[in-house]
Amino acid sequence: MTRITREMIINDVIKQYPETISVFNRLNVDSCCGGGASIEATARKDGIDLEALLDALNREIESIQS
């Protein structure tokens, strides 16, 4: 099973898993200007809990992979 990791680029995650845009939006992650950066870098810049973000993203893709 695929896992989303902190090193992944936000735009790449959204392209591969369009459903994740709702998670980024719900957690107020800047997927527009921050989309070209890693999840970790953007979460840090936006003051988002990285582990909570990764958990939410992975739960989202697990629900569509099941």
Side-chain angles (χ1 to χ4, degrees), residues 19-29 52-53 56-57 60:
E19 302 82 1
T20 60
I21 190 70
S22 65
V23 175
F24 288 117
N25 288 339
R26 185 175 72 244
L27 296 176
N28 297 315
V29 176
L53 173 58
L57 290 168
E60 184 68 29

Side-chain angles (χ1 to χ4, degrees), residues 6-33:
R6 67 185 63 230
E7 299 85 13
M8 295 174 93
I9 303 299
I10 291 176
N11 286 342
D12 294 342
V13 171
I14 293 171
K15 184 176 180 181
Q16 187 169 2
Y17 305 104
E19 302 82 1
T20 60
I21 190 70
S22 65
V23 175
F24 288 117
N25 288 339
R26 185 175 72 244
L27 296 176
N28 297 315
V29 176
D30 182 2
S31 59
C32 179
C33 296

Side-chain angles (χ1 to χ4, degrees), residues 37-49:
S38 70
I39 292 172
E40 181 175 31
T42 301
R44 187 178 317 120
K45 179 183 72 70
D46 291 346
I48 306 296
D49 179 330

